[in-house]
Amino acid sequence: MNTIKKAFKGSAFHTKEYGKLEFLEDVLIKVDSNGIISEIVNKDNKNYEEELIYAKNNYEFVELSDGEYFLPGFVDLHVHAPQWPQAGMALDEPLNVWLDECTFPLEAKYSDINFAREVYTDLVTQYLARGTTTAMYFATIHNEASLELAKICAKLGQRGLVGKVVMDDPVMNPDFYRDKSTSEALDNTEKFILDVKKVAENCIQGVYPVITPRFVPSCTDEALLGLGKLAKKYNTYVQSHCSEGQWEHDFVKERFGKRDTEVLEKFGLLGKKSVMAHCNFLNEEDGEIFAKTGTAVGHCPISNSYFANAVLPVKRLKSQGVDIGLGTDISGGFSPSLYENIRHAVMVSRMLEDGVDAKKCSCERGVSNSRISVIEAFYLATTGGGESLQLPLGKIEKGYICDLQVIDTKAKNNILSDFGVFPKKEHLLQKIIYLATVENIKEVYVQGNLVHKK
Ligand code: GUN
Ligand code: FE
């Protein structure tokens, strides 16, 4: 058994079940030397006072002040790390034009390791400051720079899942930015997997290699097949984009006579450790394939509003048993904050339900029974992300990894006050989710260790 090393005392919010908020009042969270929660001592436990005194005297002890709360660290399932310099710009073109004209020239710059180091260090720092303790990253085609991202996550204390991107089709990708051949793409992926596993040996919070075909249109059949085989050989994570927008969905249908989901399954790229970004065009059958294979959806609501031509049917996919988490999708999404993506996930689900064209009769304007609550969206950013990655993340519970954000609702100049009018704790959480800024995130812990302090 691991010894207890640390204890956190304060009130916390989390969602153990989808849509059910739990408030833990003044609990003592005991954490072992591996950063795993070993016990939660409730206020009504008869040994509570004794336990508190013991913890203060014997463990590293973190005690929240009045107005401070713990939230679980956020899990971001979809980030394009190299696109950080263009976050917030160039969002007016359709996806395929945006990739060719803006994104590929930017990503090509990561052949320069010094540039990569500078950008990636800032990105991981900014994500941690926004409470994102776990992130699944697309890097670029370059092994050295992609490995650098894994090293930076390890060093700065973020749990990083990192993929060297594969895009080997000479017809679909520009000469200045693609894998030089299919065999080189596969060899470099295998080397990358082994190199990240080495970095992981000295990293308590974990860094993981991810097999990363950019999306079906950018890869040859041979690459997709080879990557599926590597996923099996190393039992690694897999990530890609799936049925993101109309263009991608139609392109794949045209090339294979099948839907994206069917193609990815055929090549061995769906499974319990697979996360597919976007997925807006999944039909019922695709949802069943996702549920059956254990493949998760990385829902990127802000990005989808620009590039997807549709709104993800979260409610339908959840009811089919699909794991779903949230993604910022920098820079298709402009914001590095999962808070903003939680808010947007709620708003677009309302638009899906109600419809958007007032000229149409309300009876045929939207897709009924589509809205999700802010608590459900909070679940997606925490527990849903953990489920998607098959990691014990998102709950403040025995056996779970101790990843926490400390929210200071009394931070200077903040707008969270309810002026003492609303006593319900759920309302407080709603205010935090909708109105908190980076100023309210006082501290962030990953695997029990402090990784960010405001
Ligand atoms: N599909 C293929 N590449 C990308 C990308 O970089 N961003 C988004 N949003 N979709 C993609
Ligand atoms: Fe993306």
Side-chain angles (χ1 to χ4, degrees):
M1 218 177 96
N2 284 303
T3 47
I4 311 293
K5 188 182 127 197
K6 203 159 191 165
F8 295 83
K9 188 210 165 219
S11 296
F13 290 99
H14 71 155
T15 43
K16 286 205 277 199
E17 281 176 58
Y18 186 55
K20 289 210 179 117
L21 184 68
E22 189 173 56
F23 180 66
L24 304 169
E25 191 176 359
D26 262 334
V27 288
L28 181 69
I29 303 165
K30 290 160 76 172
V31 179
D32 73 17
S33 53
N34 283 336
I36 308 294
I37 298 173
S38 58
E39 192 183 354
I40 307 273
V41 185
N42 288 315
K43 220 175 149 185
D44 54 12
N45 184 312
K46 65 178 178 359
N47 299 325
Y48 180 76
E49 292 302 330
E50 265 169 55
E51 290 263 12
L52 270 188
I53 293 165
Y54 188 86
K56 275 184 198 171
N57 292 329
N58 294 280
Y59 309 142
E60 265 180 75
F61 192 69
V62 177
E63 182 168 17
L64 298 193
S65 303
D66 188 36
E68 294 177 354
Y69 299 88
F70 294 117
L71 299 189
F74 285 158
V75 180
D76 191 328
L77 292 183
H78 189 59
V79 189
H80 292 270
Q83 295 173 20
W84 182 224
Q86 74 176 8
M89 55 183 264
L91 288 167
D92 296 326
E93 300 291 351
L95 180 71
N96 49 330
V97 178
W98 175 82
L99 286 173
D100 287 340
E101 292 183 3
C102 307
T103 304
F104 293 162
L106 171 58
E107 291 194 12
K109 289 189 192 301
Y110 290 75
S111 56
D112 177 349
I113 188 74
N114 293 319
F115 177 64
R117 193 173 295 124
E118 182 187 351
V119 175
Y120 290 162
T121 300
D122 185 57
L123 174 77
V124 174
T125 304
Q126 296 295 345
Y127 268 63
L128 284 171
R130 285 158 179 79
T132 298
T133 46
T134 301
M136 194 170 203
Y137 291 111
F138 275 58
T140 59
I141 63 168
H142 315 97
N143 274 51
E144 194 187 9
S146 305
L147 187 64
E148 190 63 24
L149 174 57
K151 287 181 186 168
I152 287 166
C153 291
K155 186 170 133 201
L156 298 182
Q158 190 181 54
R159 189 171 302 97
L161 300 95
V162 182
K164 170 238 166 320
V165 173
V166 170
M167 35 197 292
D168 70 316
D169 190 333
V171 178
M172 294 302 293
N173 302 296
D175 285 345
F176 67 82
Y177 187 56
R178 70 174 155 82
D179 295 291
K180 290 295 157 266
S181 67
T182 305
S183 61
E184 196 179 294
L186 295 173
D187 289 350
N188 284 346
T189 298
E190 186 157 17
K191 183 171 184 323
F192 182 74
I193 292 168
L194 297 171
D195 285 346
V196 174
K197 281 176 181 281
K198 277 209 199 86
V199 177
E201 283 169 13
N202 296 309
C203 175
I204 181 174
Q205 78 276 14
V207 286
Y208 303 84
V210 188
I211 286 176
T212 308
R214 183 170 204 119
F215 62 163
V216 170
S218 48
C219 297
T220 59
D221 292 16
E222 299 74 44
L224 294 168
L225 189 65
L227 292 176
K229 285 189 181 149
L230 282 176
K232 192 158 180 209
K233 178 172 175 188
Y234 290 102
N235 185 26
T236 51
Y237 287 100
V238 178
Q239 63 184 344
S240 193
H241 299 84
C242 177
S243 291
E244 176 178 1
Q246 194 69 53
W247 177 84
E248 177 189 345
H249 195 63
D250 294 347
F251 180 94
V252 175
K253 264 269 187 67
E254 180 92 346
R255 177 167 145 196
F256 291 97
K258 288 183 175 17
R259 295 184 311 280
D260 232 356
T261 300
E262 296 172 296
V263 172
L264 291 162
E265 187 187 25
K266 179 180 107 166
F267 285 117
L269 293 163
L270 301 188
K272 285 193 177 65
K273 292 171 90 172
S274 298
V275 177
M276 293 296 143
H278 306 288
C279 301
N280 302 294
F281 285 71
L282 298 196
N283 67 14
E284 261 87 357
E285 215 179 299
D286 294 329
E288 275 169 33
I289 295 172
F290 268 62
K292 178 188 80 186
T293 56
T295 305
V297 171
H299 176 29
C300 307
I302 294 183
S303 169
N304 287 346
S305 295
Y306 292 87
F307 290 136
N309 322 108
V311 174
L312 181 77
V314 172
K315 198 142 186 172
R316 195 237 305 152
L317 291 168
K318 279 300 287 181
S319 73
Q320 289 190 274
V322 178
D323 290 330
I324 306 179
L326 288 185
T328 51
D329 193 25
I330 287 291
S331 65
F334 56 77
S335 170
S337 163
L338 275 182
Y339 284 88
E340 292 207 35
N341 276 278
I342 293 173
R343 297 163 196 162
H344 205 68
V346 175
M347 291 190 279
V348 293
S349 78
R350 308 283 295 235
M351 289 176 157
L352 180 62
E353 178 162 309
D354 291 342
V356 293
D357 184 356
K359 285 204 205 109
K360 286 196 173 148
C361 161
S362 63
C363 58
E364 56 177 40
R365 207 181 292 147
V367 180
S368 61
N369 197 24
S370 291
R371 68 166 70 174
I372 63 169
S373 71
V374 67
I375 304 303
E376 287 167 337
F378 173 60
Y379 177 97
L380 299 182
T382 53
T383 312
E387 287 169 344
S388 298
L389 298 175
Q390 309 272 310
L391 292 173
L393 301 172
K395 299 184 197 178
I396 300 173
E397 186 170 78
K398 182 178 170 180
Y400 275 68
I401 296 172
C402 181
D403 290 356
L404 297 170
Q405 319 177 39
V406 175
I407 304 300
D408 179 4
T409 64
K410 298 190 170 169
K412 214 170 147 204
N413 291 331
N414 88 96
I415 54 169
L416 291 180
S417 178
D418 65 4
F419 302 92
V421 179
F422 301 103
K424 254 174 93 172
K425 290 300 174 197
E426 179 158 345
H427 285 144
L428 174 60
L429 194 268
Q430 290 174 359
K431 279 186 85 80
I432 291 172
I433 295 299
Y434 278 124
L435 296 174
T437 70
V438 75
E439 294 300 310
N440 294 101
I441 304 173
K442 186 182 164 195
E443 288 168 359
V444 178
Y445 295 84
V446 175
Q447 208 96 18
N449 295 320
L450 183 68
V451 295
H452 166 76
K453 198 169 171 61
K454 201 186 75 181

Coordinates of all heavy atoms in Angstrom, one line a residue, residues 78-80 83 95 98-99 138 214 240-241 244 277-278 300 303 307 328-333, ligand 2:
H78 N -9.2 17.2 -27.4 CA -8.8 17.5 -28.8 C -8.1 18.9 -28.9 O -8.8 19.9 -28.9 CB -10.0 17.4 -29.7 CG -9.6 17.5 -31.1 ND1 -8.7 16.7 -31.8 CD2 -10.0 18.4 -32.1 CE1 -8.6 17.0 -33.0 NE2 -9.3 18.0 -33.3
V79 N -6.8 18.9 -29.0 CA -6.1 20.2 -29.2 C -5.0 20.0 -30.3 O -4.3 19.0 -30.3 CB -5.3 20.5 -27.9 CG1 -4.7 21.9 -28.0 CG2 -6.1 20.3 -26.6
H80 N -5.0 21.0 -31.2 CA -3.9 21.0 -32.2 C -2.8 21.9 -31.6 O -2.9 23.2 -31.8 CB -4.4 21.5 -33.5 CG -5.3 20.6 -34.2 ND1 -4.9 19.6 -35.1 CD2 -6.7 20.4 -34.1 CE1 -5.9 18.9 -35.5 NE2 -7.0 19.4 -35.0
Q83 N -1.2 24.8 -33.7 CA -2.0 25.9 -34.2 C -2.2 27.0 -33.2 O -2.9 28.0 -33.4 CB -3.4 25.3 -34.6 CG -3.3 24.3 -35.8 CD -4.6 23.6 -36.1 OE1 -5.7 24.1 -35.7 NE2 -4.5 22.5 -36.8
L95 N -13.2 24.5 -44.0 CA -12.2 23.7 -43.4 C -11.0 23.4 -44.4 O -9.9 23.6 -44.1 CB -12.7 22.5 -42.8 CG -11.7 21.6 -42.2 CD1 -11.1 22.1 -40.9 CD2 -12.2 20.2 -41.9
W98 N -9.0 26.5 -45.3 CA -8.3 26.9 -44.1 C -7.1 26.0 -43.8 O -6.0 26.5 -43.4 CB -9.3 26.8 -42.9 CG -8.8 27.1 -41.5 CD1 -8.5 28.3 -41.0 CD2 -8.4 26.1 -40.5 NE1 -8.1 28.1 -39.7 CE2 -8.0 26.8 -39.4 CE3 -8.5 24.7 -40.5 CZ2 -7.6 26.2 -38.2 CZ3 -8.1 24.1 -39.3 CH2 -7.7 24.8 -38.2
L99 N -7.2 24.7 -44.0 CA -6.1 23.8 -43.8 C -5.0 24.1 -44.8 O -3.8 24.3 -44.4 CB -6.5 22.3 -44.0 CG -7.4 21.7 -42.9 CD1 -7.9 20.3 -43.3 CD2 -6.6 21.6 -41.6
F138 N -2.8 16.7 -30.9 CA -2.2 16.5 -32.2 C -1.0 17.4 -32.2 O -1.1 18.6 -31.9 CB -3.1 17.0 -33.4 CG -4.2 16.1 -33.9 CD1 -5.1 15.5 -33.0 CD2 -4.2 15.7 -35.2 CE1 -6.1 14.7 -33.5 CE2 -5.2 14.9 -35.7 CZ -6.2 14.3 -34.8
R214 N -4.2 12.1 -39.5 CA -4.9 13.4 -39.4 C -6.4 13.3 -39.6 O -7.2 13.7 -38.7 CB -4.3 14.4 -40.4 CG -4.9 15.8 -40.2 CD -4.2 16.8 -41.0 NE -4.6 18.1 -40.3 CZ -3.7 18.9 -39.8 NH1 -2.4 18.7 -39.9 NH2 -4.1 20.0 -39.1
S240 N -8.2 10.8 -34.3 CA -8.3 11.3 -35.6 C -9.6 12.3 -35.6 O -10.2 12.5 -34.6 CB -8.5 10.2 -36.6 OG -8.4 10.7 -38.0
H241 N -9.9 12.8 -36.8 CA -11.1 13.5 -37.0 C -12.1 12.6 -37.7 O -11.7 11.8 -38.6 CB -11.0 14.7 -37.9 CG -10.0 15.7 -37.3 ND1 -8.6 15.6 -37.5 CD2 -10.2 16.8 -36.6 CE1 -8.0 16.7 -36.9 NE2 -9.0 17.4 -36.3
E244 N -16.4 15.2 -39.5 CA -16.5 16.6 -38.9 C -17.5 17.5 -39.6 O -18.4 18.1 -38.9 CB -15.1 17.2 -38.9 CG -15.1 18.6 -38.3 CD -13.7 19.2 -38.3 OE1 -12.7 18.6 -38.7 OE2 -13.6 20.4 -37.8
A277 N -12.4 13.1 -33.0 CA -12.9 14.5 -32.8 C -14.1 14.8 -33.7 O -14.2 14.3 -34.8 CB -11.8 15.5 -33.1
H278 N -14.9 15.6 -33.2 CA -16.1 16.2 -33.9 C -17.3 15.2 -34.0 O -18.3 15.4 -33.3 CB -15.7 16.8 -35.2 CG -14.6 17.8 -35.1 ND1 -14.8 19.0 -34.5 CD2 -13.3 17.7 -35.3 CE1 -13.6 19.7 -34.5 NE2 -12.7 18.9 -34.9
C300 N -16.2 19.2 -29.9 CA -15.5 20.5 -29.9 C -16.6 21.6 -30.3 O -16.6 22.0 -31.5 CB -14.4 20.5 -30.9 SG -13.3 19.1 -30.6
S303 N -15.4 25.1 -32.1 CA -14.9 24.8 -33.5 C -16.0 24.4 -34.4 O -16.0 24.8 -35.6 CB -13.8 23.7 -33.4 OG -13.5 23.2 -34.7
F307 N -16.7 25.2 -38.5 CA -16.3 24.3 -39.6 C -17.2 23.1 -39.8 O -17.0 22.4 -40.8 CB -14.9 23.8 -39.3 CG -13.8 24.8 -39.4 CD1 -12.7 24.9 -38.5 CD2 -13.8 25.7 -40.5 CE1 -11.7 25.8 -38.7 CE2 -12.8 26.6 -40.7 CZ -11.7 26.7 -39.8
T328 N -11.1 21.6 -27.0 CA -11.1 23.0 -27.4 C -10.8 23.1 -28.9 O -11.2 24.1 -29.5 CB -10.0 23.8 -26.7 OG1 -8.8 23.0 -26.8 CG2 -10.3 24.0 -25.2
D329 N -10.1 22.1 -29.5 CA -9.7 22.1 -30.9 C -9.1 23.4 -31.3 O -9.4 24.0 -32.4 CB -11.0 21.8 -31.8 CG -10.5 21.5 -33.2 OD1 -9.4 21.1 -33.4 OD2 -11.3 21.8 -34.2
I330 N -8.2 23.9 -30.5 CA -7.3 25.0 -31.0 C -6.8 24.6 -32.3 O -6.3 23.5 -32.4 CB -6.2 25.3 -30.0 CG1 -6.7 26.0 -28.7 CG2 -5.0 26.1 -30.6 CD1 -7.2 27.4 -28.9
S331 N -6.8 25.3 -33.4 CA -7.3 26.7 -33.5 C -8.6 26.7 -34.3 O -9.0 27.8 -34.7 CB -6.3 27.6 -34.0 OG -6.0 27.3 -35.4
G332 N -9.2 25.6 -34.7 CA -10.5 25.6 -35.2 C -11.5 26.2 -34.2 O -12.4 26.9 -34.6
G333 N -11.3 25.9 -33.0 CA -11.9 26.6 -31.9 C -10.9 27.7 -31.4 O -9.7 27.5 -31.4
Ligands
FE2 FE -9.2 19.2 -35.0

